[in-house]
Amino acid sequence: MKSVWYKNAIVYSLDVETFKDSDGDGIGDFRGLTHRLDYLAGLGVNCLWLLPFYPSPNRDNGYDVMNYYDVDPRLGTLGDFVEFMHQARDRGIRVLIDLVVNHTSIEHPWFQSARQDKNSKYRNYYVWSDDPQPNPDLIAFPTKEDSIWEYDEQAGASYLHHFYKEQPDLNIGNPKVQEEILRIMGFWLELGVSGFRIDAAHFLVKNVGIDGASSEDLILFLERMREFVTARRADAILLAEANVSPDQIPVYFDQGNRMHMLFNFLLNQQLFLALARQDANTLKDGLKTLPCIPHNAQWLNFVRHHDELTLDRLSDEQRQEIFAAFAPEEQMQIFGRGIRRRLPPMMQNDRHRIEMIYSLAFTLPGTPLLRYGDEIGMGDDLSLEGRESVRTPMQWSDDPNGGFSTASPDALVRPVISEGEYSYPHVNVSFEQRDPASFLNWMEHLIRTRRQCPEFGTGKWQMLETNEPAVFAHACKLDGATVLALHNLSDRPCTVTLEDIQQEHLMEVFGDNFSLVRYDQKYKPLDQSSNTISMNAYGYRWFRVSAMH
Ligand code: NOJ
């Protein structure tokens, strides 16, 4: 039987530097993370995605790598990494790591050599031009950079950089660069990782400024990566970050021979539009625009991640609807296209609504992704610069610094949220573990139930018609078993009529009926003589459907 573990994994992403500090220097590290593996295993997480942990000048939160074969000394050593991998494996937790090879740091020795010497063997590792074309549409950080080219005095030419100017793009058209990338992957696969998140995959396959290589040539590199990874480790996967239009999705999946997974940016944006409008049809439209994907491919569904909530695939009007609902102040927005807030503040900490949103994200066709702190309802810190607002340290307890570190507060890698509704005395793991009605305990329940319903990840799915525009209903079938989920996107209770579903065949397995914060809004038992189902405001209900004859 073919292993498709990634279709039903519970993926949890974290940045080692903000997770747990073990040595009191104010920076999270691998030893700290290793100590918290039991917490993650207890939560039900079985796949971690680690943000870049390589040596880096940290111009872009580690997405500017100086050495692909080591661990940033601030976070530990390779030895610590190996021990972490061993402990994770012992707990049945797989590890995906970020592979940032669209660009390096400007301080990478390859770039240093390339800029200093035209004859360096590394010169052609990068993309140079004497006559750079502006291409303003391709600037990834529009308010931070004004060009994708930077003239370099030492080199006497301009180099390509889609991101910050401190992140020169690698020349993927150069076979030597491709070899380097495979070597890097080979190294980490030997250390036991289960695959890679391919950073900026969309730019990786663009041939901007690259002479002699067509975009098609570069795309074929995705296949080489796949062949290589699979040859080295049959169950390892490639998860690509490619925020592209529906017609470009096949570039990444092709016939199932390129990427295993893609982040579902399209659905994420449509989800927020649907939430702003409290309208299930908007979500349905989003699902309808997703192309069919090969049987071995999978979407990774998320609510929020470590970047801005990008809304770049929507029209101006649609974006404004979302801004008006969830990020009305300019300081909550970023790059003119996104939101730099975590979910709870966007939803005014409405627990019912937040539960419904995660429940929905966990049932949509694909694999669910959580980001550290989601499970306790962490907030953001808008006083921090740019995307740092959503990258504050994990809140473990009400000890100083939220139990993240014993360092003095000004030595912390980033301040812990210490004031207001989302501050660590109010929102922390230790407190929530002791409270049966906490969001953390609810999340554990969600994860446990989702793992028992693999139909959502692997089954054949179908949207169901309801008489209620605010209720999204869908069913997923796998090997003769069916699960059904209903989500009320609106703040009004309602009653839904479902054609073709007989209540005598429904067993409720999860939903707001079980949430300890809804003790006063319990649903009546299902009425077998009717085909209507009640839904609370922001209600959500999952059913297992027994065979109907
Ligand atoms: C995408 C990452 O998610 C983002 O954080 C980073 O800034 C860019 N890629 C550049 O590596």
Side-chain angles (χ1 to χ4, degrees):
M1 226 163 51
K2 202 153 191 275
S3 164
V4 285
W5 64 268
Y6 53 93
K7 290 209 170 190
N8 271 305
I10 306 293
V11 188
Y12 184 100
S13 96
L14 65 89
D15 202 343
V16 178
E17 73 173 12
T18 49
F19 201 61
K20 175 70 190 160
D21 172 19
S22 73
D23 58 5
D25 66 355
I27 302 168
D29 46 44
F30 273 102
R31 291 187 184 197
L33 168 58
T34 306
H35 286 138
R36 294 299 146 117
L37 281 171
D38 285 320
Y39 162 75
L40 294 169
L43 185 58
V45 165
N46 51 14
C47 179
L48 295 180
W49 151 33
L50 302 187
L51 268 72
F53 51 77
Y54 315 98
S56 163
N58 270 306
R59 170 68 178 103
D60 184 11
N61 200 40
Y63 282 96
D64 44 331
V65 178
M66 281 166 69
N67 177 359
Y68 290 101
Y69 296 104
D70 209 345
V71 167
D72 182 338
R74 298 177 318 137
L75 312 182
T77 63
L78 266 183
D80 294 335
F81 179 82
V82 168
E83 181 58 18
F84 154 73
M85 290 299 299
H86 170 76
Q87 297 292 344
R89 194 178 58 232
D90 247 15
R91 289 160 179 79
I93 298 180
R94 292 175 181 268
V95 178
L96 301 178
I97 62 172
D98 236 296
L99 184 72
V100 192
V101 289
N102 172 67
H103 45 266
T104 67
S105 158
I106 201 163
E107 290 183 32
H108 194 291
W110 296 340
F111 188 78
Q112 289 303 321
S113 168
R115 75 182 338 178
Q116 282 157 18
D117 178 3
K118 274 201 167 107
N119 299 316
S120 157
K121 65 176 184 176
Y122 298 113
R123 183 76 172 193
N124 202 24
Y125 273 35
Y126 295 88
V127 185
W128 302 98
S129 175
D130 293 327
D131 177 25
Q133 300 305 306
N135 280 329
D137 295 352
L138 296 178
I139 301 172
F141 302 140
T143 51
K144 298 285 172 190
E145 297 290 346
D146 50 21
S147 169
I148 56 168
W149 294 97
E150 179 73 8
Y151 182 74
D152 189 62
E153 289 283 348
Q154 286 184 62
S158 300
Y159 61 85
L160 179 72
H161 64 93
H162 279 100
F163 296 93
Y164 290 119
K165 56 171 79 63
E166 293 85 357
Q167 293 169 296
D169 278 29
L170 282 165
N171 175 2
I172 308 298
N174 179 348
K176 293 215 166 76
V177 170
Q178 296 193 0
E179 290 303 322
E180 295 279 8
I181 295 174
L182 299 184
R183 214 184 330 274
I184 295 163
M185 295 170 102
F187 177 83
W188 294 102
L189 285 168
E190 288 301 313
L191 295 188
V193 302
S194 287
F196 303 92
R197 169 195 181 265
I198 314 288
D199 183 62
H202 165 50
F203 291 115
L204 199 67
V205 298
K206 273 210 157 66
N207 62 338
V208 180
I210 300 181
D211 293 332
S214 67
S215 190
E216 286 71 34
D217 293 337
L218 301 187
I219 288 167
L220 287 181
F221 181 53
L222 299 179
E223 279 169 37
R224 262 193 92 194
M225 283 171 127
R226 169 70 172 256
E227 278 163 19
F228 178 84
V229 161
T230 310
R232 292 291 166 100
R233 183 171 168 164
D235 63 348
I237 64 155
L238 298 174
L239 156 66
E241 184 215 18
N243 176 8
V244 294
S245 55
D247 61 308
Q248 291 300 302
I249 298 291
V251 166
Y252 301 90
F253 285 139
D254 195 40
Q255 308 297 316
N257 50 334
R258 293 180 187 162
M259 302 291 106
H260 296 79
M261 292 180 105
L262 281 188
F263 286 84
N264 207 342
F265 284 100
L266 293 164
L267 194 56
N268 181 253
Q269 304 192 26
Q270 207 69 25
L271 167 68
F272 274 91
L273 188 59
L275 292 171
R277 294 178 174 169
Q278 307 201 1
D279 173 40
N281 287 321
T282 304
L283 183 61
K284 285 184 177 174
D285 290 345
L287 281 161
K288 284 180 199 154
T289 59
L290 293 181
C292 276
I293 60 174
H295 71 280
N296 58 349
Q298 178 72 320
W299 294 110
L300 186 66
N301 290 324
F302 55 94
V303 178
R304 285 290 287 116
H305 52 57
H306 66 289
D307 287 330
E308 77 274 16
L309 163 60
T310 184
L311 304 170
D312 60 347
R313 303 263 142 224
L314 302 175
S315 69
D316 266 346
E317 245 169 39
Q318 295 171 329
R319 211 173 3 258
Q320 291 309 325
E321 282 182 65
I322 299 179
F323 283 158
F326 304 131
E329 293 168 31
E330 214 180 308
Q331 55 146 355
M332 299 167 175
Q333 305 164 9
I334 184 169
F335 302 142
R337 62 166 186 232
I339 298 179
R340 58 185 206 106
R341 308 182 82 188
R342 281 207 185 228
L343 185 74
M346 275 194 268
M347 301 299 149
Q348 272 129 21
N349 221 0
D350 180 336
R351 169 80 180 260
H352 296 169
R353 196 176 195 185
I354 294 169
E355 285 184 9
M356 185 277 293
I357 295 170
Y358 281 107
S359 164
L360 178 57
F362 271 57
T363 55
L364 288 172
T367 296
L369 167 71
L370 282 176
R371 167 164 159 68
Y372 79 91
D374 282 354
E375 72 275 28
I376 51 171
M378 258 172 67
D380 47 51
D381 181 349
L382 294 178
S383 71
L384 299 179
E385 216 270 313
R387 296 169 294 169
E388 304 219 325
S389 53
V390 295
R391 298 172 177 173
T392 59
M394 180 67 175
Q395 296 171 196
W396 292 104
S397 68
D398 60 2
D399 288 339
N401 301 326
F404 161 69
S405 169
T406 54
S408 94
D410 34 289
L412 298 186
V413 61
R414 222 158 279 137
V416 180
I417 297 179
S418 52
E419 272 166 33
E421 196 176 353
Y422 303 99
S423 61
Y424 66 81
H426 295 104
V427 176
N428 69 64
V429 171
S430 155
F431 172 65
E432 294 193 32
Q433 278 186 328
R434 283 175 277 133
D435 173 8
S438 69
F439 191 64
L440 177 59
N441 277 312
W442 176 85
M443 182 63 83
E444 237 178 81
H445 189 181
L446 170 71
I447 293 176
R448 188 167 67 243
T449 318
R450 173 62 180 77
R451 287 181 64 168
Q452 289 166 5
C453 298
E455 293 85 356
F456 287 125
T458 335
K460 203 166 156 26
W461 57 276
Q462 188 195 353
M463 293 185 262
L464 305 176
E465 289 305 320
T466 74
N467 57 322
E468 249 307 324
V471 175
F472 176 72
H474 74 300
C476 301
K477 260 189 204 166
L478 177 71
D479 299 333
T482 304
V483 287
L484 170 68
L486 288 100
H487 289 86
N488 181 3
L489 272 50
S490 94
D491 54 4
R492 283 162 286 109
C494 61
T495 304
V496 178
T497 310
L498 275 183
E499 305 297 340
D500 304 329
I501 302 280
Q502 290 163 21
Q503 302 216 351
E504 57 182 312
H505 297 290
L506 298 186
M507 186 181 69
E508 192 151 11
V509 289
F510 188 68
D512 58 304
N513 214 21
F514 307 115
S515 174
L516 296 183
V517 291
R518 293 268 200 175
Y519 50 85
D520 55 345
Q521 290 170 310
K522 293 289 168 212
Y523 297 117
K524 292 204 186 88
L526 292 177
D527 173 359
Q528 301 201 351
S529 62
S530 118
N531 64 348
T532 61
I533 296 179
S534 315
M535 300 294 298
N536 285 324
Y538 300 129
Y540 53 95
R541 305 181 79 173
W542 303 12
F543 300 97
R544 198 157 264 297
V545 187
S546 61
M548 285 182 275
H549 302 288

